[in-house]
């Protein structure tokens, strides 16, 4: 299967806000990070408005909606409060994620298959408002099929476990997880879902995921913000963009 188009890069700026909030200052500014990411070649900006507002805040979403030229992907939990916020702002995309107060970061995919009726009702008004709704899920067949059933336009496959296995040097386990992700991407595409991927992706893991022909977008944040400390945000993003493009070109060849 040939690539379905240029692989898009969404840059998650949550942890710019994490640094800001650590000191209670007005800087570093997430919008400024978003604009720098745009200039460096990002195709979109992702921001997760958590229920506890541990990094991104409501006013950040307002500023991003007003200031960005590229699309905003709003990550959020499936709560009435978050649905109301999304319907007020009407971002280009809404990615629904599981959320627990005690977790450091999103630990797994959302259980779509176990909550079909509620999520169908939750997604419908977002779709009617013009938002592209994405489900952040694992590669389990049931979750992919359920995402199509509830009317989502997109699935974002959770790549965190694969990236952790690579970092731990568990090559055989990583290869099995990569194959499961590949099969999940193929199934989602066959069901008419657009396929994205994200979580934990670094320079060391991006090429293998970027080579999936069905994947149209990668959403990467923590690694890029960390790398930006040493080389600057623009340079960090440009380095990721080069690796993504090289993987895509190698696949095409």
């Amino acid at each position: 299967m040939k690539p379905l188009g240029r692989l898009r890069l969404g840059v998650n700026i949550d942890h710019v806000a994490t640094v800001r909030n650590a000191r209670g200052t007005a800087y570093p500014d997430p919008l400024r990070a978003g604009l720098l990411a745009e200039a460096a070649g990002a195709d979109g900006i992702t921001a997760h408005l958590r229920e506890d507002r541990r990094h991104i805040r409501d006013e950040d979403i307002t500023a991003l909606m007003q200031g960005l030229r590229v699309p905003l992907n709003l990550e959020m939990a499936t709560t009435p409060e978050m649905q109301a916020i999304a319907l007020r702002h009407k971002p280009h995309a809404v990615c629904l994620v599981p959320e627990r107060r005690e977790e450091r970061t999103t630990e797994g995919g959302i259980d779509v298959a176990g909550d079909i009726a509620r999520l169908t009702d939750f997604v419908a008004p977002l779709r009617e408002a013009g938002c592209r709704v994405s489900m952040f899920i694992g590669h389990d067949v049931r979750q992919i099929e359920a995402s199509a059933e509830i009317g989502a336009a997109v699935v974002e496959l959770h790549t965190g476990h694969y990236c952790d296995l690579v970092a731990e040097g568990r090559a055989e386990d990583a290869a099995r997880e990569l194959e499961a992700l590949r099969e999940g991407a193929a199934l989602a595409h066959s069901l008419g879902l657009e396929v994205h991927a994200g979580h934990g992706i670094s320079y060391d893991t991006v090429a293998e995921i970027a080579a999936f022909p069905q994947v149209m977008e990668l959403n990467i944040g923590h690694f890029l913000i960390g790398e930006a400390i040493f080389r600057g945000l623009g340079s960090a993003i440009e380095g990721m963009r080069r690796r993504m493009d090289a993987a895509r070109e190698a696949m095409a060849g």
Side-chain angles (χ1 to χ4, degrees):
M1 178 180 180
K2 293 194 173 184
L4 301 177
R6 178 180 180 272
L7 183 58
R8 300 190 300 270
L9 172 59
V11 173
N12 186 312
I13 58 167
D14 289 351
H15 295 300
V16 174
T18 299
V19 175
R20 175 196 63 191
N21 296 354
R23 290 291 294 270
T25 60
Y27 61 85
D29 178 14
L31 175 58
R32 184 180 178 190
L35 295 174
L36 285 169
E38 283 184 357
D43 300 288
I45 299 300
T46 293
H48 183 175
L49 183 66
R50 280 183 169 265
E51 292 181 86
D52 61 10
R53 305 326 196 248
R54 69 176 63 170
H55 38 59
I56 294 295
R57 298 171 179 162
D58 299 67
E59 58 267 28
D60 295 322
I61 300 301
T62 299
L64 291 165
M65 286 294 299
Q66 293 174 350
L68 291 174
R69 294 180 291 275
V70 296
L72 176 66
N73 174 36
L74 174 61
E75 288 187 348
M76 66 183 207
T78 59
T79 66
E81 179 200 21
M82 291 299 158
Q83 184 190 58
I85 290 170
L87 291 173
R88 184 166 70 250
H89 287 290
K90 298 182 176 62
H92 169 77
V94 171
C95 184
L96 302 180
V97 302
E99 192 172 308
R100 293 191 306 119
R101 292 292 178 95
E102 61 270 28
E103 68 187 359
R104 289 186 179 180
T105 184
T106 307
E107 295 173 343
I110 194 168
D111 181 15
V112 187
D115 204 7
I116 287 178
R118 186 181 74 87
L119 289 175
T120 299
D121 290 341
F122 190 90
V123 164
L126 296 170
R127 291 178 59 195
E128 291 167 7
C131 302
R132 300 195 73 215
V133 179
S134 173
M135 309 305 294
F136 186 68
I137 59 171
H139 49 63
D140 181 82
V141 170
R142 293 173 58 251
Q143 303 301 342
I144 295 169
E145 292 176 341
S147 296
E149 182 178 343
I150 69 167
V154 181
V155 291
E156 181 170 335
L157 297 178
H158 190 314
T159 54
H161 185 47
Y162 166 69
C163 295
D164 288 344
L165 291 170
V166 171
E168 294 164 8
R170 297 166 58 184
E172 292 184 5
D173 291 337
R176 283 192 289 271
E177 180 67 10
L178 187 68
E179 182 59 27
L181 286 165
R182 184 180 291 109
E183 291 174 0
L187 173 61
H189 176 71
S190 74
L191 295 174
L193 293 160
E194 184 171 307
V195 185
H196 300 176
H199 204 80
I201 296 173
S202 68
Y203 290 157
D204 294 331
T205 53
V206 68
E208 288 76 12
I209 299 164
F212 292 179
Q214 301 89 356
V215 172
M216 298 300 295
E217 179 174 306
L218 300 181
N219 285 299
I220 306 174
H222 185 264
F223 174 81
L224 290 174
I225 301 307
E227 191 69 10
I229 295 171
F230 304 104
R231 60 190 292 180
L233 184 57
S235 176
I237 292 170
E238 288 163 2
M240 188 64 76
R241 176 81 262 170
R242 285 194 298 272
R243 287 165 173 81
M244 291 167 57
D245 291 344
R248 213 67 162 180
E249 289 167 9
M251 179 180 65

